[in-house]
Amino acid sequence: MRPPGRAAVSTAMASGAAQFVLSSTLIARERRSAVINGRSVGVGDHVNGARVIEIQPSQVRLQHQGRQLTLSLLPVAVKKPVSAE
C-alpha cells in the first residue's frame, strides 16, 4: 500500500512537470523573498524554469510555460490560551 499523496507526485514526475515547494516567505519594507525548492528567490527571479511574479505573506505566484501557478504555505496552527472566566 502506498502512502497518501504518493500517486499524485509520481504522476506529476512522470509527465515531466516541474515540482515547486514553497517553504517560507519574507515580507519586509524594502524586499520580498521566498524559499522555493530550497532556494531563496525574489520577484523576477527564476526557479526550475518558472519566473516569480508575486510574493505575498502566505503564497507566491509563478509564471511557468505560459501558465500562472500559485504556491501556498500550509496554515500554521496557532494555539491560544483558554481564558479563565
Side-chain angles (χ1 to χ4, degrees):
M1 199 163 140
R2 290 185 197 170
R6 179 82 175 163
V9 171
S10 298
T11 303
M13 287 181 176
S15 69
Q19 297 295 303
F20 303 102
V21 178
L22 175 62
S23 302
S24 66
T25 60
L26 172 69
I27 308 296
R29 279 186 192 191
E30 298 176 13
R31 147 184 166 183
R32 290 175 180 251
S33 64
V35 177
I36 301 173
N37 295 353
R39 188 172 147 229
S40 181
V41 294
V43 174
D45 290 344
H46 288 81
V47 59
N48 287 9
R51 187 172 59 90
V52 178
I53 56 175
E54 182 180 25
I55 299 174
Q56 295 297 322
S58 63
Q59 65 183 18
V60 173
R61 285 190 324 143
L62 303 174
Q63 182 78 31
H64 184 254
Q65 297 178 346
R67 296 179 23 214
Q68 285 192 12
L69 306 172
T70 300
L71 308 178
S72 297
L73 291 172
L74 294 175
V76 178
V78 178
K79 295 182 180 181
K80 296 181 182 179
V82 176
S83 61
E85 292 179 23

